[in-house]
């Protein structure tokens, strides 16, 4: 499981004066706090009443992502930045409250491929009809409702005017959070793939995205499996990519632009670039061993070249002097090799104006 932080909005739906919802929401975040810390979850409590949303007043449909009003843009940014939701909801007339439906209706793609767990409360039904109602609506938005749920009867929950659901309810709430975290991690590849501007990769289902230092664990694994052949070919273990620690990878990722090719949550390949004076340096070109020979390396190399600053004069790559496969690839893409260096590497360059301008 990925260890990236999961940001969960805890949405309190009821807005009427004296509503029970805020107290239920407060109890819930308190009950989840310790486990959230262990699971690397950031809980963000939010009352729908504080969003300042009016009844849907946007001219364009939410699927367009064109929002005229500041309140919608603010709501969009909050939902977009979230990895999942816990909805604290009452049951109004056997259904979800209009505040929740309205908040859902305001947005489109921001909801997609994120888990939604429910904590409901009500009289005999314990709010379960509200949750059933909400579930059939949220699936349309590609939200993924959880099976785990907490439904509380008000009579069992409120004592002397205080919300006191008890240990069993707290345990159930933790179970909802745990399921939410698992589902959120599993859905991450779908979320990433459907983000605006994400470029499709050359294999069906694959996509390209910028890597950040948080991707250092995956990059470390890819490097260690990819540079073994280089070590064998060059009869040397003195290859940084082979033994860099995740911390060291994290460090260099802060000063390079690194692009990763992903499919179904797996990092299939990568390449890094940066400008040095008037040169465009390309390096760490890697493809997982089982997908070699399918043109992915060539595709990543060309992708790295398209990012070049217009006033750079050359693209520069380095490889082992006996890394014949790499050298063949670079030569076939127009790179010329300099004489080998003393450290067992060779530098290959491609003039920009002649080779890339057209
Ligand atoms: C408009 C309205 C409709 C209600 N409908 C239901 C209902 O269908 N089922 C139910 O169990 N309770 C129903 N109730 C009672 C609520 O469960 C109870 O008032 C609860 O405190 C509402 O949550 P809130 O205080 O956070 O608004 C309704 C309450 C209101 C205000």
């Amino acid at each position: 499981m990925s260890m990236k932080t999961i940001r969960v909005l805890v949405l309190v739906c009821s807005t009427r004066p004296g509503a029970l919802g805020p107290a239920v929401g407060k109890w819930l975040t308190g009950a989840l706090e310790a486990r959230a810390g262990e699971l690397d979850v950031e809980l963000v409590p939010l009352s729908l009443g504080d969003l300042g949303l009016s009844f849907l007043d946007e001219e364009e449909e939410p699927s367009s992502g064109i929002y005229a009003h500041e309140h919608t843009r603010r709501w969009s940014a909050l939902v977009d930045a979230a990895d999942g939701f816990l909805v604290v909801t009452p049951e109004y007339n056997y259904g979800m409250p209009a505040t929740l439906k309205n908040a859902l209706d305001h947005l489109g793609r921001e909801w997609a491929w994120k888990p939604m767990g429910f904590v409901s409360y009500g009289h005999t039904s314990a709010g379960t009809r509200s949750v059933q109602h909400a579930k059939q609506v949220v699936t349309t938005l590609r939200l993924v409702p959880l099976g785990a749920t907490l439904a509380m009867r008000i009579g069992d929950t409120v004592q002397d005017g205080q919300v006191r659901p008890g240990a069993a309810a707290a345990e159930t709430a933790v179970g909802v959070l745990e399921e939410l975290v698992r589902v959120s991690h599993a859905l991450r590849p779908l979320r990433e793939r459907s983000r605006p501007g994400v470029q499709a990769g050359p294999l069906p289902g694959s996509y390209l995205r910028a890597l950040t230092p948080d991707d250092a664990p995956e990059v470390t694994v890819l490097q260690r499996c990819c540079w073994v052949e280089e070590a064998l070919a060059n009869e040397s273990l003195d290859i940084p990519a082979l033994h860099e620690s995740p911390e060291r990878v994290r460090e260099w990722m802060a000063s390079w632009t690194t692009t990763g090719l992903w499919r179904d949550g797996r990092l299939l390949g990568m390449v890094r670039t940066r400008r040095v004076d008037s040169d465009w340096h390309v390096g760490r070109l890697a493809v997982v061993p089982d997908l070699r020979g399918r043109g992915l390396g060539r595709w990543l190399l060309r992708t790295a070249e398209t990012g070049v600053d217009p006033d750079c004069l050359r693209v520069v790559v380095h490889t082992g002097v006996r890394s014949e496969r790499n050298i063949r690839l670079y030569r076939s893409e127009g790179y010329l090799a300099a004489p080998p260096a003393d450290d067992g590497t060779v530098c290959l360059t491609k003039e920009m104006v002649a080779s890339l301008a057209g």
Side-chain angles (χ1 to χ4, degrees), residues 224-300:
R224 293 206 181 172
C225 81
C226 287
W227 266 269
V228 169
E229 283 173 35
E230 300 310 299
L232 292 172
N234 292 280
E235 290 176 11
S236 170
L237 289 176
D238 190 17
I239 300 176
L242 195 58
H243 45 76
E244 276 173 354
S245 66
E247 292 72 32
R248 176 71 196 109
V249 171
R250 217 169 215 288
E251 275 167 35
W252 69 246
M253 288 188 84
S255 59
W256 287 82
T257 299
T258 312
T259 308
L261 178 67
W262 296 82
R263 186 173 64 179
D264 300 333
R266 183 183 182 209
L267 183 59
L268 303 181
M270 67 170 185
V271 64
R272 72 180 188 183
T273 58
R274 76 173 170 195
R275 185 185 176 132
V276 179
D277 300 325
S278 61
D279 289 340
W280 188 248
H281 281 232
V282 173
R284 299 293 163 96
L285 182 60
V287 174
V288 287
D290 55 307
L291 292 175
R292 300 235 173 105
R294 295 194 186 201
L296 299 186
R298 189 180 300 279
W299 189 87
L300 281 165

Side-chain angles (χ1 to χ4, degrees), residues 64-79:
S64 71
I66 301 168
Y67 304 129
H69 299 292
E70 184 52 29
H71 57 73
T72 316
R73 287 196 287 271
R74 257 199 326 263
W75 180 221
S76 164
L78 282 165
V79 173

Side-chain angles (χ1 to χ4, degrees), residues 139-154:
T139 54
T140 308
L141 293 161
R142 292 189 173 73
L143 275 158
V144 178
L146 300 180
T149 186
L150 171 59
M152 299 188 287
R153 286 214 175 96
I154 292 174

Side-chain angles (χ1 to χ4, degrees), residues 14 16 19-21 90-94 121-125 129 154:
S14 54
R16 66 195 184 95
L20 203 56
E91 176 174 298
Y92 288 167
N93 298 314
Y94 287 26
Y121 51 95
H123 291 304
T124 34
S125 69
R129 290 171 297 213
I154 292 174

